[in-house]
Amino acid sequence: MLVAAALCPCPPLLVPEVAAGAAPEMDAARSACSDALGVLAAARPDLLVVVGPAEQSGRGSFPQGSPGSFRGFGVDLDVRLGTATGAAGERELPPSLAVGAWLLQRTGWGDAPIEGLGVGVPLAPERCAEAGREIGARAGRVALLVMGDASACRTVKAPGYLDERAAPFDAEVARALGAADVAAVRALDAGLAHELKASGRASWQVLAGAAEGADLAGALLYEDAPYGVGYVVATWS
């Protein structure tokens, strides 16, 4: 059963080495992510699954110890999804899971075995919920680290330019995630999320599937759009 979840944004800019001179602009988000991971540790899970959006090559399961890298962003920095094990494959983590692995390394995670799951951004809501239910049944106490961004259309300089629908969409995302409102998360419009380039929609709906019947309470720790992209940090516990 799901006992806790931390929801964090997944821009590589969270990693100071990638952000370089702009690193201080993400300090508040990094601090909130650290607080969120503390909630996961306090839940004493038997299993932690890191879920995040992925392109075709990065979809599916990743065992503990899977490698990741930020070399594609011009930084000679490698990470691993938890402590390396003999069973670890060498398939590289998608960027969202690499950011998750970096967050876990930064906070010194050692509280439970870790696995990763790369989720296709277009995955249908019912398939997301099914995947979440399967994860929730994996162990007696399951925790999720859910990576994903809200819209990328909040300003004219945003990756998706300015879309007047983005701010209301992100406000509902922040409300639903901050309240652990499973029904509202499941009801997020996949088509609108795609148009607004909200990479987290599928990952959040995986969480909603895992949280069915868990009766968790939510807390919103951070919500902002410093680069025209909506970033939300929340916890469910």
Side-chain angles (χ1 to χ4, degrees):
M1 174 177 283
L2 185 72
V3 295
L7 300 97
C8 296
C10 60
L13 288 171
L14 265 182
V15 180
E17 291 88 340
V18 175
E25 296 174 18
M26 296 294 287
D27 280 348
R30 290 186 199 99
S31 177
C33 289
S34 294
D35 291 343
L37 264 62
V39 171
L40 295 186
R44 304 185 314 280
D46 302 317
L47 172 67
L48 172 64
V49 181
V50 186
V51 180
E55 298 296 333
Q56 186 71 46
S57 63
R59 295 174 189 172
S61 298
F62 290 83
Q64 179 165 318
S66 293
S69 166
F70 295 98
R71 296 170 193 267
F73 301 96
V75 175
D76 186 13
L77 177 63
D78 298 320
V79 294
R80 282 194 179 272
L81 190 64
T83 305
T85 69
E90 288 304 310
R91 189 163 70 110
E92 187 160 299
L93 298 167
S96 67
L97 298 190
V99 173
W102 177 83
L103 286 172
L104 290 166
Q105 285 185 186
R106 181 173 180 258
T107 54
W109 180 270
D111 299 270
I114 307 174
E115 296 179 11
L117 178 66
V119 179
V121 173
L123 191 66
E126 57 270 20
R127 293 278 307 280
C128 295
E130 180 182 347
R133 286 190 289 268
E134 291 175 357
I135 292 172
R138 291 279 311 280
R141 299 181 65 82
V142 177
L144 289 181
L145 172 55
V146 184
M147 311 299 296
D149 300 338
S151 77
C153 304
R154 291 279 289 273
T155 68
V156 294
K157 293 184 177 180
Y161 197 66
L162 177 63
D163 190 313
E164 63 183 14
R165 302 171 297 173
F169 176 86
D170 286 358
E172 171 58 13
V173 165
R175 187 207 66 77
L177 297 182
D181 188 337
V182 172
V185 174
R186 290 195 63 175
L188 290 172
D189 188 317
L192 178 59
H194 174 73
E195 292 174 15
L196 296 177
K197 304 183 185 300
S199 70
R201 189 274 311 169
S203 299
W204 301 329
Q205 290 181 329
V206 170
L207 167 62
E212 289 176 4
D215 194 27
L216 301 179
L220 182 64
L221 306 185
Y222 176 89
E223 193 275 322
D224 203 356
Y227 301 106
V229 181
Y231 299 144
V232 175
V233 181
T235 59
W236 294 17
S237 62

